[in-house]
Amino acid sequence: MTIHIANNAAGKIWFVGAGPGDPELITVKGRRLLEGAGAVLFAGSLVDHAVTLYAPPGCAIRDSKDMTLEEMTAWLIDQAQRHATVVRLQTGDPALYGALIEMARPLTAAGIEWAVVPGVSSAMASMAAAGESMTLPEVTQTVILTRVEGRTPMPDGEDLASLAAHRTTICIFLSITLMYKVEAALRAAGWPDDAPMLVVHKASWPGEEKIIRGTLADIKARCREAGVASQAMIVASPTLGALHWETLVRSKLYDPTFTHRFRKASA
């Protein structure tokens, strides 16, 4: 964790990953900071409001869903003049699609100390909810976290078809309303119609989580039938469904024929 030290007269702003939705999936450190915070700015459109219940009585709590970047940073700077601990509570992990640097730059310019506490990403929570693994020996050892182009353009070379050509696990954020683009890109990369697909809506949110399984050919229709059109993780991976495969290559770490630093081969 990197800590940026500037003006010692002001309080400190913590960018805390709230996790994917379940209030119990926030880190112990994140919860401790919330419990001692004088002010909390939370992403109300994404962060489960229950997380803010960890804040103490009298804490200044502000929902940021109707605020611009300038309004958010001004609020944080103002609260840092009033309180020793100020928390910016963000969904998942602050470093992933979280506008972290956009908010941190004006704080640094204003001489405000800030630090980051990582959080559980919805990509990990989605695979956990579905009981799937992102990596498997001799299947894929690589995970790509990306999105498809919408109003936010993608840099050159990062279009989904190019990334999907690697045939690794791909976790696709912020793209459920662009499923037709996801399908087209995967097909352009050579993924077959029967390639397994997974969509998880509100991963880990108590009472709201939905897990949708299908194939490249039918996943869009299945999402439509389930009424899922927001806050969903799309996963395309050659590992999906491995729990029910007839054969599976074992991990060398636990293979009795494999010697490593802590154990000699026994067979």
Side-chain angles (χ1 to χ4, degrees):
M1 179 180 69
T2 301
I3 297 178
H4 303 261
I5 301 176
N7 182 4
N8 291 328
K12 184 171 181 177
I13 295 174
W14 294 85
F15 292 89
V16 175
D22 184 343
E24 293 185 332
L25 286 181
I26 193 169
T27 64
V28 173
K29 187 179 185 73
R31 177 171 176 172
R32 179 176 61 78
L33 287 166
L34 279 175
E35 291 172 342
V40 176
L41 181 66
F42 75 104
S45 60
L46 296 172
V47 175
D48 192 319
H49 179 68
V51 176
T52 61
L53 298 179
Y54 295 137
C59 178
I61 298 178
R62 178 74 161 88
D63 188 341
S64 66
K65 67 175 178 287
D66 62 344
M67 300 171 75
T68 64
L69 177 69
E70 291 75 15
E71 290 171 336
M72 291 165 61
T73 53
W75 192 90
L76 289 170
I77 291 171
D78 177 66
Q79 294 301 319
Q81 308 302 324
R82 305 164 184 263
H83 307 286
T85 300
V86 177
V87 171
R88 163 56 180 168
L89 193 61
Q90 298 190 211
T91 182
D93 180 271
L96 190 59
Y97 302 116
L100 171 64
I101 301 304
E102 294 176 57
M103 282 186 278
R105 281 165 60 91
L107 300 182
T108 299
I112 303 295
E113 183 181 358
W114 59 273
V116 180
V117 178
V120 177
S121 169
S122 58
M124 283 63 180
S126 295
M127 295 300 269
E132 299 282 359
S133 178
M134 290 184 171
T135 59
L136 285 175
E138 299 185 28
V139 178
T140 184
Q141 296 289 284
T142 302
V143 179
I144 296 174
L145 308 179
T146 190
R147 61 179 297 173
V148 296
E149 183 169 280
R151 288 186 293 179
T152 300
M154 293 295 288
D156 291 342
E158 292 189 19
D159 59 282
L160 183 57
S162 296
L163 299 176
H166 296 288
R167 300 297 184 94
T168 69
T169 294
I170 308 174
C171 298
I172 308 168
F173 290 71
L174 308 169
S175 302
I176 191 63
T177 59
L178 301 171
M179 185 64 86
Y180 68 97
K181 287 189 175 184
V182 173
E183 290 184 355
L186 293 177
R187 287 196 174 95
W191 291 56
D193 278 353
D194 63 355
M197 298 285 293
L198 172 70
V199 171
V200 181
H201 171 68
K202 291 192 172 183
S204 84
W205 286 54
E208 298 187 60
E209 179 183 85
K210 292 182 181 179
I211 300 172
I212 303 164
R213 299 179 185 272
T215 64
L216 182 57
D218 66 12
I219 192 65
K220 183 170 67 175
R222 288 177 180 268
C223 288
R224 186 169 56 247
E225 290 169 3
V228 172
S230 66
Q231 292 177 259
M233 175 62 56
I234 305 167
V235 181
S237 174
T239 68
L240 293 175
L243 182 66
H244 305 291
W245 292 355
E246 291 184 7
T247 60
L248 191 71
V249 176
R250 292 181 59 168
S251 169
K252 294 297 184 184
L253 182 62
Y254 307 112
D255 191 327
T257 66
F258 187 72
T259 295
H260 56 71
R261 186 159 61 101
F262 299 102
R263 189 192 70 234
K264 289 185 178 181
S266 59

